[in-house]
Amino acid sequence: MTFPSFPRELALKGRYIRVSGALDGRRVVGLRTTARQQGLLLVATLFARRGTVLPVEEKDLVPSKGYRSLTTLTHWNERVRVPAPAHATPVS
């Protein structure tokens, strides 16, 4: 998954409602929607800290199946270093 594909993963069709809560003792605001996927009701919520547009957490629930998924988003704007595998063959 690439970062540009991430918002597409969250773009469920449906009506969004504003919700609020707390994450690590800090206030967050969120958007919640429901949608049917493969015949199951999915409840998705995306949270951001107040005063910023960067998401910090995404929760997906399928209540009828007891499914819960939590994705935490951190370290925004930090450099990512990906070392080459130990036995990589250079391409040149």
Side-chain angles (χ1 to χ4, degrees):
M1 179 186 310
T2 61
F3 183 76
S5 72
F6 181 69
R8 285 192 298 273
E9 287 288 316
L10 302 174
L12 299 173
K13 295 190 187 320
R15 205 173 177 169
Y16 287 86
I17 61 169
R18 184 175 185 238
V19 294
S20 60
L23 178 64
D24 297 329
R26 300 173 100 177
R27 291 179 56 140
V28 292
V29 294
L31 292 175
R32 178 173 293 151
T33 189
T34 59
R36 289 226 170 255
Q37 289 191 345
Q38 298 177 353
L40 299 173
L41 178 67
L42 171 70
V43 180
T45 310
L46 181 65
F47 289 100
R49 287 209 169 85
R50 295 181 72 90
T52 181
V53 297
L54 298 174
V56 293
E57 187 173 87
E58 184 224 348
K59 291 182 182 179
D60 292 327
L61 307 171
V62 179
S64 66
K65 298 291 183 182
Y67 173 79
R68 303 178 77 131
S69 171
L70 174 67
T71 303
T72 302
L73 305 156
T74 61
H75 304 286
W76 288 100
N77 295 323
E78 286 188 13
R79 175 174 269 177
V80 177
R81 296 180 191 271
V82 181
H87 302 289
T89 303
V91 177
S92 55

